[in-house]
Amino acid sequence: MTDDVDDTEEKGVWLETSFSTEYQLLDASEMADAVTRVTNHRTSDRLGLPPPFVDMPSDIETYREMEEIPAYALKMWNSIDRKLDTLLRFASGETNRLENCESGIVTKISQDGLNLKCAAKAKTGDSFLIRLVPPTYPAFTIDVIGKAKSITEDDTQKIIHLEFYALNKDDRELLISYIFKLQRSILRSQSEND
């Protein structure tokens, strides 16, 4: 089955990208539970990851001590702290892989969906649980559920155009920030080449 993906993509800004991702094909019996899990709590909370973009401590006494530190020193401190968290996760062997997952590549992304290049035996209307870890700093991880709107096949793989069906509102904000950052990077690169 082959559908024209471009018609669906006109709903919003779609950006070309390329990063690997993990996904699970969901069957109807798993769908309600997966939607509840994804929408009720942001992904970092469910996976026990440090929350992204946290700049100030929740303990008021620590906050009072930090008020006296210059802003540039706080930014450096937070940057070092995030990097150390990432290194510790890798060193301890902690991974945040989906269980029973397959790998694919995100080739386009928007705030409403993505294109997934993969070898999934999927058809239009199928649902996917996708764990996104875009190549950005500070790093973040989000889970989304998408429904296959169209599928284009080549010799070995498929490009599945997925529309987001379920996404936590805080995770959506992270995704939108990443898309804006990616868009700025693309525009900057184009202006340098002109």
Side-chain angles (χ1 to χ4, degrees):
M1 80 187 80
T2 303
D3 296 325
D4 185 8
V5 174
D6 290 336
D7 290 341
T8 338
E9 293 179 352
E10 292 178 8
K11 291 181 183 175
V13 176
W14 283 79
L15 301 173
E16 290 190 20
T17 188
S18 182
F19 61 91
S20 53
T21 193
E22 299 172 339
Y23 68 89
Q24 292 175 341
L25 203 50
L26 298 172
D27 62 37
S29 66
E30 301 170 302
M31 194 60 175
D33 185 44
V35 167
T36 300
R37 245 186 0 260
V38 166
T39 56
N40 284 355
H41 299 284
R42 66 181 175 186
T43 306
S44 61
D45 291 347
R46 282 186 291 107
L47 299 178
L49 300 171
F53 308 116
V54 172
D55 291 327
M56 293 295 171
S58 56
D59 177 22
I60 195 68
E61 290 305 316
T62 308
Y63 178 73
R64 285 187 185 124
E65 292 171 10
M66 292 181 80
E67 280 183 325
E68 298 170 11
I69 298 173
Y72 69 87
L74 274 177
K75 287 181 183 178
M76 289 189 306
W77 181 350
N78 285 324
S79 174
I80 291 167
D81 191 41
R82 287 187 190 119
K83 289 175 185 174
L84 286 174
D85 284 341
T86 302
L87 286 172
L88 288 171
R89 272 199 311 277
F90 283 122
S92 68
E94 279 185 51
T95 60
N96 297 305
R97 293 184 56 89
L98 284 171
E99 292 181 21
N100 305 316
C101 67
E102 301 292 328
S103 295
I105 296 174
V106 175
T107 61
K108 281 188 174 181
I109 195 163
S110 84
Q111 69 176 7
D112 299 317
L114 59 84
N115 284 1
L116 177 67
K117 185 175 185 177
C118 64
K121 292 181 171 88
K123 60 189 180 310
T124 302
D126 282 349
S127 298
F128 289 74
L129 172 61
I130 305 157
R131 178 150 298 159
L132 297 173
V133 185
T136 189
Y137 182 82
F140 65 88
T141 302
I142 61 171
D143 288 347
V144 300
I145 294 176
K147 288 204 176 216
K149 290 298 181 184
S150 61
I151 300 173
T152 306
E153 297 185 50
D154 65 16
D155 295 338
T156 58
Q157 294 198 311
K158 300 176 179 182
I159 305 277
I160 302 174
H161 175 71
L162 293 156
E163 186 175 272
F164 294 150
Y165 178 77
L167 174 61
N168 175 272
K169 63 182 169 94
D170 293 326
D171 286 347
R172 180 178 294 279
E173 293 301 318
L174 292 172
L175 180 63
I176 290 169
S177 295
Y178 165 70
I179 289 168
F180 282 142
K181 189 184 288 187
L182 180 61
Q183 189 173 25
R184 279 193 308 269
S185 173
I186 290 169
L187 290 173
R188 191 177 310 118
S189 173
Q190 287 174 347
S191 69
E192 289 171 2
N193 291 337
D194 288 343

